[in-house]
Structures are given as C-alpha cells and as structure tokens.
Amino acid sequence: METFLIKTLQFLLSITILVALHEGGHFLFAKLFKTRVSRFYIFANFKFHIWSSYDNWWRKLIGKPLITERGEDGNKKYNEEAGTEYGLGWLPIGGYCQIDGMVDETQSADDLAKKPVQPWEFRSKKAYQRLLIMAGGVMVNFFLALIIYSAVFYTWGEDYIALKDMKGGMKFNSSAKALGFKDGDILLGTDKGEFREFSTDMFRDLATAQQTYVMRDGKETTVALPGELDLLSMLKSDPIFVRPLVPCDIDSVMAGTPAAKIGLRKGDKILAVNGKQIDSWNEYHYQVGVLDDRMTAANTAKDSLAIRTVKLVVARNASSTLYPVASAHQPLASAVKDTMTVVMTPELKLGVIESSIFSYYEPTHKSYSILESVPAGIGYGLDVLGGYVGDLKYLFSADGAKSLGGFGAIGSMFPPVWDWNMFWRMTAFLSIILAFMNIIPIPGLDGGHILILLMEVVTGKTPSLRFQQIAQNIGMGFLLLLMLVANFNDVLRWIGLM
C-alpha cells in the first residue's frame, strides 16, 4: 500500500507540473497577443472543482468581490472586469486554458456564430499569432524536458553499468540463440556503434543491425543479424530477448513467507527447481512461468497445491563472487547443498528479495559541469524523442495496441521510493511524450488546431466554424476511445488477463 501511495503521489505531482506549464505556454502567448483567457484550470473540473479564484469565499478573503450579472438565460454571467478564472479541478486527466473565440471542448461553433467577433478573441488575431498561441504548450513541454535533463545531469550526473564491464555476460532466449548468441556472451556493440549500457537503445540497435560483436570465452566474436528484428517482440517475449545474467542469489528473505518457513537465508543460491538446473534469476522466472501455465489448468485445490509444492536445490551461503557466470555455473565447492520442499503462495511467490545486477558490478559515474550538462541534456532529450517517435510504428500492430497504457501504467513507471533523481527524469520523459503527442495533427489536440491554421496560411481562407466543430468532435471522439482502450488495458493487466 505504501508503494502504491508513493507512486501515486509522484505521478500526481509530475502531471500537475506538466499540465500547469503546458497550459501556461498557451496562456503566455495568448496574453502576449492580448487575447482574453476566460479560464485557466489544472485538471478537469467536470461538474465541480476543488478551488476557483471565482469562489465567493476566496474573493471575500482577498477583498476583491466578483462583479457578476445575469444573462438573458438567467444564468450567472461574469463581468469582463473579473478577468481570468484560475482553478484546480478534481479529475487528473489534464487541464485547459479557455481562450475566448476558438472552437474547442469549452466553446462550440454555434455559440461563437451567435456573437460578433471581438478584438480580444482568438479568431480576430492574425494567423501567425494564433499559430504561436496553439504551439505554446508544446514548445514549453519540449524545452522543459531539455532543461530538466540538463539540470539532472548537473545535479546528480550519471550512474550506469557499462555493458563491457558485465563480465558475467548475458542470458538469451531461444530466438536470440537461434541467431547465434550464447549464454554468457558479453555484448560489445553493433555495426552501428559501441554499446554503452543495457537500455532500450541497445535493443533498437540490435533490431536494425546487420552484425553485432560479443566477447565469448575471452575472444571477440561476430554474430550476424538480419537487420529487421521486431523490437516489440524482442522486448515483450517471455523470457525477454536478452538480459544481464544475474545468478539466483538471495539478497534477503521476507518474514512469514514460504522462503522464511523453510529456512532460506541471505546469501543462499537456488541451483534447481523441480529438477531443472537454474543458473540465473532469468531461468528461475522461466520455470515459475511454466508452473503458472500449469496453474491455469488446475481444477481443484488439491491440483493447485501439488503445483505449488516445489523442490529446490539450494547452495548455502554460496554467493560471494563478483562475476555471475562463475557463481551461477560453479558454486563454491565449500558450499553445502540442501534439497528443500516449499509450498509457494497461490501467486507462486517465494518471498525473497532477489540479488540485482548492482550486487555484482560497480556502476560508472560521470559528473557534468554546468557547461557540459546543457549539451548533454539536449542530446539526451533528443535521443529520447527520436527513440519514442521511431517506436511509434509498433503502436499499429496487435501487440502494440495491447502495450498501450493509461494512468495506471504511467504511474507504475515511477520508482517505489521517493527518489528525486528518478522523479525528475520521469517528469522530463513524460514532458517529451506530452509535447510529441500534442503536436500530432489530430483535431482536439494542439496539433489539430495547428494543422487547420496551416491550411489557412496555405489556402488564404479561414476554415468555417462548422468545419472546425466537426473536426473537433471527431478528434475528441477518437481521443476518448484511445483513452478508454489504454485504461482498459491497465485493468486487464491488473486482474492478470494481459
């Protein structure tokens, strides 16, 4: 529960910052060109809001009563002197900057057609001014990401484990082995360049490379590649295409768990599961996956208990080497081997904290001066954007649609502990995504409005309010459907159906 709260708070803080600054970009250019902004809201205020600068209690508190009048329909109408209404909504799905005189989710074409064009309205401004107003949010998000990355590099520098230093090598799945890889290979690079660290960029290079170079048994070896591997399949396959080989050393044991009940201890190493030799946590999880597949066919509690009852071969206090391959394949001769029977939880959990790659390798730290951090941050941000744009093609496949995630998926990307370094990295990443997604020319998004404005610049004709309204409705319908699919995928993952 604590982990969920920490992740949720980080997500809410991050999205609040991004929404406020995105809408602030629109607001800034609107004010620059003397365009009236009726409302500026962080989060949606459907039906009600948490706070508004138009609230009577707030106006009384600051001593500025709100001047109001009644419209012809009898509803309360705010006087122009009231200025912009600033507010905080209750639904964290975005925010909005209501700019007078434009067709969007707050103003319809029919409403605007009934009123004469006013000099403070969006529709009265020149095309380039409207273009800058609409692009303001994207511009802020993009430059914000570069600023955050630069600040992160200056404040914390970089910590990473160089692939060439992973002396224990990699663990490959069957697809990778069919291409010529072998467990224990140390990935060095491809014909596209040298690998720096284990990351998505490494997978992208492997997917498009013609050949890759590995260190095998102390000698550099070339492995030929087709140059057109499916990146999504590489990442989503179970087990994954390649992972660092991390031996099955137990870092710690949680109290009251199956592992604690049979006496497993910190430093023990799992060597076999149900007679199947285990050389890494990668292999362990594969064998647990086999059990999970059998669990789906269990018809009775007795069947389930039989599957959950597992025989382990354990080397006592065997994890004491830096290099995982030696530790995984050649446990210390002095280690005592025990055969133990454990009844795992219904979710097939053992109750141990696994050793990680950081248990074996010292990370490389790189510091940046303030002058070095700026180009490093810009370069990193552009690399993230390029990778994200390049991966977008997978969205239109069946597996790509399943990989869509909503608020739950985004929230889960934050670390389980409050880490400001990771928080700001995630915020910068989301800022780049928000900038790119908003520039896509879909009506309802900033990019849709920009596309209509570019049509006006090219043709010299302003699209009718009716056309803008139809485009807006279609775009908002598509975006709503996309949001429903993404969040439905989250639910399916949560209940274990995806």
Side-chain angles (χ1 to χ4, degrees), residues 9-310:
L9 287 174
Q10 289 181 92
F11 168 70
L12 289 177
L13 177 59
S14 178
I15 206 69
T16 299
I17 292 170
L18 295 180
V19 167
L21 293 178
H22 177 89
E23 299 302 334
H26 297 306
F27 183 87
L28 175 66
F29 282 102
K31 289 296 185 181
L32 181 65
F33 299 125
K34 295 181 171 55
T35 310
R36 185 166 184 262
V37 179
S38 296
R39 290 180 177 179
F40 184 93
Y41 261 79
I42 298 174
F43 299 155
N45 61 326
F46 181 69
K47 296 297 184 182
F48 67 94
H49 58 260
I50 296 174
W51 173 82
S52 166
S53 61
Y54 276 16
D55 289 335
N56 286 331
W57 65 269
W58 172 257
R59 305 296 298 189
K60 290 177 181 178
L61 182 66
I62 62 175
K64 294 182 179 179
L66 191 63
I67 303 172
T68 62
E69 59 185 18
R70 294 285 176 180
E72 295 180 359
D73 55 3
N75 293 324
K76 184 183 291 186
K77 182 179 179 183
Y78 297 107
N79 190 288
E80 296 296 336
E81 297 178 26
T84 302
E85 177 190 0
Y86 300 94
L88 177 64
W90 63 272
L91 189 60
I93 58 171
Y96 67 94
C97 179
Q98 183 177 330
I99 302 171
D100 282 11
M102 66 174 289
V103 176
D104 61 8
E105 62 272 20
T106 65
Q107 300 161 93
S108 70
D110 291 339
D111 291 337
L112 294 178
K114 296 174 183 177
K115 299 182 291 186
V117 178
Q118 301 295 335
W120 63 78
E121 287 187 325
F122 177 83
R123 53 180 169 166
S124 72
K125 303 303 175 181
K126 296 178 180 178
Y128 84 89
Q129 294 175 328
R130 284 177 280 145
L131 187 63
L132 286 173
I133 291 172
M134 294 316 306
V138 169
M139 292 165 60
V140 166
N141 280 131
F142 179 69
F143 287 112
L144 173 66
L146 302 185
I147 291 169
I148 291 176
Y149 280 133
S150 299
V152 166
F153 284 142
Y154 174 70
T155 305
W156 290 284
E158 279 188 288
D159 288 290
Y160 63 92
I161 298 174
L163 267 174
K164 61 183 177 62
D165 292 338
M166 294 185 185
K167 304 303 182 183
M170 304 286 122
K171 180 77 175 178
F172 298 88
N173 69 7
S174 57
S175 298
K177 289 176 180 176
L179 294 171
F181 290 104
K182 292 184 178 180
D183 288 341
D185 284 352
I186 302 171
L187 291 171
L188 302 177
T190 69
D191 47 7
K192 294 178 175 294
E194 182 181 353
F195 290 141
R196 192 182 84 146
E197 59 184 315
F198 189 87
S199 65
T200 307
D201 284 341
M202 180 203 76
F203 280 91
R204 291 191 185 103
D205 282 354
L206 287 172
T208 56
Q210 297 294 329
Q211 54 186 16
T212 186
Y213 313 108
V214 302
M215 187 65 69
R216 180 181 297 168
D217 299 326
K219 298 179 180 179
E220 186 172 319
T221 303
T222 300
V223 178
L225 294 175
E228 50 183 20
L229 293 173
D230 188 313
L231 178 62
L232 199 60
S233 296
M234 294 171 71
L235 294 169
K236 290 179 69 65
S237 58
D238 187 17
I240 195 170
F241 186 85
V242 57
R243 290 181 73 97
L245 196 155
V246 180
C248 224
D249 295 334
I250 295 174
D251 180 80
S252 57
V253 177
M254 292 178 277
T257 60
K261 291 176 182 177
I262 64 170
L264 286 177
R265 300 186 297 266
K266 176 182 175 65
D268 289 348
K269 180 192 300 295
I270 299 174
L271 301 177
V273 174
N274 285 342
K276 301 292 185 181
Q277 186 176 350
I278 299 296
D279 63 1
S280 63
W281 282 113
N282 316 69
E283 185 64 27
Y284 171 85
H285 287 297
Y286 175 76
Q287 294 300 333
V288 171
V290 172
L291 296 177
D292 190 44
D293 290 340
R294 290 175 56 196
M295 285 285 283
T296 60
N299 296 319
T300 65
K302 184 178 179 181
D303 293 338
S304 173
L305 180 62
I307 295 169
R308 293 190 289 118
T309 303
V310 177

Side-chain angles (χ1 to χ4, degrees), residues 340-396:
M340 316 173 82
T341 300
V342 61
V343 179
M344 303 177 78
T345 68
E347 296 80 22
L348 297 176
K349 301 297 183 184
L350 190 58
V352 300
I353 303 299
E354 303 173 7
S355 59
S356 72
I357 194 170
F358 294 98
S359 306
Y360 305 96
Y361 306 118
E362 197 70 32
T364 298
H365 179 77
K366 185 175 182 180
S367 299
Y368 293 86
S369 68
I370 192 165
L371 293 179
E372 293 171 330
S373 66
V374 174
I378 293 173
Y380 188 83
L382 293 176
D383 182 58
V384 170
L385 176 61
Y388 182 76
V389 173
D391 295 345
L392 220 72
K393 60 185 177 183
Y394 296 104
L395 182 63
F396 302 99

